[in-house]
Structure formats: C-alpha cells, structure tokens
C-alpha cells in the first residue's frame, strides 16, 4: 500500500514517547491532519487504536464523508465509530464554536476511564489559536492556546502533533499517496480562523518568516497545566465569600484549570449565576467540555458526562484480587490476601450504617454523605464492600473502624473520574 521508505515525520515520531492506554481513540474527520495522524499510528503499530468520526450534519457531503473515512479505516483494519451530533447553530456562540462544543461532548461521552483521545492539531493550529485568542482579548490562559494534554470526560485528550509544522504533515501525506477530504468550510473566509489563515498570517510572514514557530513557542511558554494528580474535582463555594466578582471568577478559573478545563469568561459567569447563585435548596447543573458542574449545598463537583444519574452498582461476588469492572464504567483494583473473603460489592443505601475509621459510632450513610457534600447523583455511583452482611468499606470514606481493627490484609483502590483516586489499605497488625 505504501513505499517502504518512511517519511520524515515517521522517522521523527519513532523517537517520541507515545503514551499507552486501554483504548486510543483518534478523532478522524477525514481531513489532511487527522488522516495523517491515523495513518501514522497505523504505520507505527500503536496498539489499541480505533477511529471516531463525528457527523455534524452541516453539509450535504457529510454522508459521503462517512463512506470515505469508512473505506480508509477498512483498508487498514482500524475499527471505526461514527457519532452523529446536533449542532445548535442558533446558540449565539457562532457556528464554529457550536460545532466544536458538540464534537467535544460526543468525544467525552465516548471515553471510558483510562481511555485516551488523540486529536491532530499541529503547530500552525497552535499559532492561529494564540492569535485568535489575542484578538478576542484573552488573558494568559487564552494565550497559552491548546494544551498538549488535558482531562476530557472520563479519559484524557492528547495532541501528539502539536509541535509539528503542517508542512511536515502534508509531506507525509504526499509521500504515501494519501487521499483526504477537503471541507469547504476550511476555505470560507467568513470563518475567523480561515480569514486569519488566508489573509493575515501570509502577510505577517513576509516580515516574520518564523512566525508560526515563534507563536507556538510563546504558547508553550505561557502554558502552565498542572498534573492531573494535583487536581481536585470538588470546590467549596465558601472560598468565594467576600471576594469581588472578578476575584470569584479567578478563583473558579483556577479550580477548573487545575482539572484540565479552560472555561471562557461567559462560562464562568454562568457558573456564578446559574449554579452558585441558584436558590439554596436547588441542585443546579451546567455542562462544560464533557463535564457537568453541579452544586450540592455549598460544594461544587465536576462529574464526567459518562456518569449517568441512573447508573448503579450491580451486586457482584469478588475475591478481592485484580480488577473488578463496575456497571458505572468505574472499576476497583484489589490486593486482598488469598482466602480473606468472600467479599461482595453492591450499591449503597442511605439507611445503611457505617463507622468510619477514627469515629466512635456508626452513622447512616445519608448523614455521612451529606456531611461530605456528596450529591445524590454521585452517591448512586459509589461502591460499597461487604463481608457477609457487614459493610466494611465505602468508596471515598475508606475502611470502617471495625475492619481496620480486625485487619484484612487488603489494599483497595477505586478508579473513577468523579473523585481523586487513592489506595485504602487494611493491614493486619503484628
């Protein structure tokens, strides 16, 4: 199918660090950039790769594009998933932004915990994004443009080509004789990015030939994405008391940024007005880039869109060893001593009673969850571990005091996008 000699992009990319994931979804529009990324992953034999195509329904050729991307994937035996979305063109955000939001929501809903989504944004895209954000009056975060990676839904988004010039990408496509789709929207100067690409950047390059590389380097220097492990998916709104409106926005922005999100000024205002500003007995929610921001009492929580309110923990017998998938899309990892069970994992009820470690008495889970600021939708996704009829461990609360006193030689981790992961160990004292 292709020349034996690798392209310059292939030779460079063989030395890159490609992160592994149980499933790697590659966003595949069929355009030049995503075609090259998918082809490159196939040529490098990266395991777990499959493609996802978002059908926006905005152009008459959209159905033909589905056939084209299907043929490309079939030639390479790459699994393909097609997601159809409804673009709210009259939302006031503009067609470009509305399509992007619909596409990102579709991607986020697809990702299971541990999955990775790869997008084909490159160095030229990064330079354009920085300039567009500058023209819109963005602050430091907007000028940092697109991060190489961030959280998305229950998984993680990665842009492996972000430091790669478009010329190198196009050279790979020509070298291997790849065919791709030309979206008419990408030639329409009514769209801001196209206008910038066709009319502004060529003029600037006559004076600054290295403009694209320089702007992309500036975005990299301004970027300051913290590691996901440092992020908290919960926020106490009491921290906003006494702050001016601008200070409240910045505090919220910092929290969302730490989780890998990049909220706009308009979104921050909506969080303040519609979520935090809702009546005290309400439980308001707001969607943001594959996540739901919800408030319970004075606590904001970030919950991935894959976290269905109807999801519940199905009863399962377990020996406490290895991975145990849950119906919610989360899973447990256990290292229990052989023969220490039997254990059962099942859903929790508000009237169940539990004595957290270090506390003198048993209390209802309803009271404990209320005290912890855990919203009802999250409670339904929280697993409990039972030994016989005794509740010995609760996700997020850890082992019970009696279980710690007895010692079960059991290390247990709950993997979920709805809270910070940690290992709860129950060790037998000698």
């Amino acid at each position: 199918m292709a020349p034996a000699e690798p392209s310059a992009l292939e030779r460079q990319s063989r030395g890159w660090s490609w992160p592994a994931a149980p499933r790697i979804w590659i966003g595949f529009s069929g355009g030049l950039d995503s075609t090259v990324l998918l082809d490159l992953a196939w040529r490098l034999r990266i395991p777990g790769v499959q493609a996802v195509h978002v059908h926006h329904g905005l152009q008459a050729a959209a159905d033909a594009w589905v056939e084209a991307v299907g043929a490309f994937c079939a030639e390479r035996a790459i699994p393909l998933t097609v997601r159809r979305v409804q673009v709210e063109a009259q939302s006031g955000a503009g067609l470009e932004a509305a399509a992007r939001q619909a596409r990102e929501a579709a991607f986020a809903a697809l990702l299971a915990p541990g999955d990775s989504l790869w997008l084909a944004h490159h160095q030229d895209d990064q330079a354009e994004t920085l300039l567009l954000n500058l023209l819109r009056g963005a602050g430091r975060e907007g000028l940092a443009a697109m991060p190489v990676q961030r959280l998305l839904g229950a998984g993680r988004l990665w842009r492996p080509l972000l430091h790669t010039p478009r010329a190198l990408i196009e050279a790979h496509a020509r070298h291997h004789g790849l065919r791709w789709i030309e979206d008419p929207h990408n030639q329409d100067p009514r769209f801001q990015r196209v206008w910038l690409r066709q009319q502004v950047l060529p003029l600037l390059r006559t004076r600054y030939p290295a403009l694209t590389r320089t702007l992309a380097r500036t975005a990299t220097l301004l970027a300051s994405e913290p590691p996901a492990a440092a992020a908290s998916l919960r926020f106490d709104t009491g921290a906003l008391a006494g702050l001016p409106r601008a200070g409240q926005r910045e505090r919220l922005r910092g929290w969302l940024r730490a989780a890998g999100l990049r909220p706009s000024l308009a979104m921050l205002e909506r969080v303040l007005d519609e979520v935090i500003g809702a009546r005290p007995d309400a439980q308001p929610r707001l969607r943001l880039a594959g996540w739901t921001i919800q408030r319970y009492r004075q606590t904001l929580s970030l919950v991935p869109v894959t976290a269905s309110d109807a999801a519940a923990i199905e009863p399962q017998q377990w020996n406490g060893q290895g991975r145990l998938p849950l119906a919610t899309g989360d899973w447990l990892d256990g290292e229990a001593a052989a023969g220490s069970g039997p254990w059962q994992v099942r859903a929790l009820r508000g009237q169940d009673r539990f004595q957290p470690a270090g506390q003198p008495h048993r209390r209802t889970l309803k009271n404990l969850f209320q005290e912890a600021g855990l919203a009802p939708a999250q409670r339904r996704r929280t697993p409990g571990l039972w030994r016989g009829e005794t509740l010995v461990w609760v996700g997020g609360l850890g082992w019970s005091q009696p279980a710690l006193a007895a010692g079960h030689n059991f290390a247990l981790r709950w993997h979920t996008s709805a809270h910070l992961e940690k290992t709860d160990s129950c060790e037998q004292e000698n």
Side-chain angles (χ1 to χ4, degrees), residues 28 53 64-78 80 82:
F28 185 35
H53 176 82
W65 294 348
V66 172
E67 294 182 10
V69 299
F72 184 93
C73 291
E75 288 178 357
R76 293 158 177 78
I78 298 172
L80 172 67
V82 177

Side-chain angles (χ1 to χ4, degrees), residues 371-405:
E371 188 176 273
L374 197 66
Q378 292 173 278
R379 300 176 199 176
R380 285 190 284 273
R381 296 175 52 85
T382 300
L385 182 70
W386 303 72
R387 196 163 190 252
E389 294 303 312
T390 303
L391 178 60
V392 295
W393 176 88
V394 173
L397 297 180
W399 291 94
S400 70
Q401 182 61 42
L404 287 177

Side-chain angles (χ1 to χ4, degrees), residues 127-148:
E128 293 169 4
T129 301
L130 185 152
L131 273 182
L132 284 172
N133 289 345
L134 179 64
L135 294 172
R136 292 167 181 152
R140 185 173 187 273
E141 293 153 1
L143 299 183
M146 295 179 287
V148 174

Side-chain angles (χ1 to χ4, degrees), residues 88-95 97-98 101:
E88 298 180 15
Q90 307 303 318
S91 65
L95 186 60
Q101 291 167 5

Side-chain angles (χ1 to χ4, degrees), residues 208-219:
Y208 304 101
L211 178 71
T212 298
R213 185 170 64 252
T214 301
L215 291 177
R217 184 172 68 246
T218 298

Side-chain angles (χ1 to χ4, degrees), residues 343 353-359 361-363 365 368 385-387 390-395 397-408 412 424-427:
W343 311 94
R353 301 183 70 83
F354 184 73
Q355 182 183 353
Q359 296 193 17
H361 305 294
R362 292 195 306 159
R363 300 166 60 194
L365 286 178
L368 290 169
L385 182 70
W386 303 72
R387 196 163 190 252
T390 303
L391 178 60
V392 295
W393 176 88
V394 173
L397 297 180
W399 291 94
S400 70
Q401 182 61 42
L404 287 177
H408 292 303
L412 180 58
D424 295 314
S425 296
C426 185
E427 302 290 347

Side-chain angles (χ1 to χ4, degrees), residues 154 285 292 303-311 328 330 377 381 418:
R285 300 180 178 192
T292 295
V303 180
V305 293
T306 51
S308 167
D309 287 352
T328 56
D330 303 336
R381 296 175 52 85

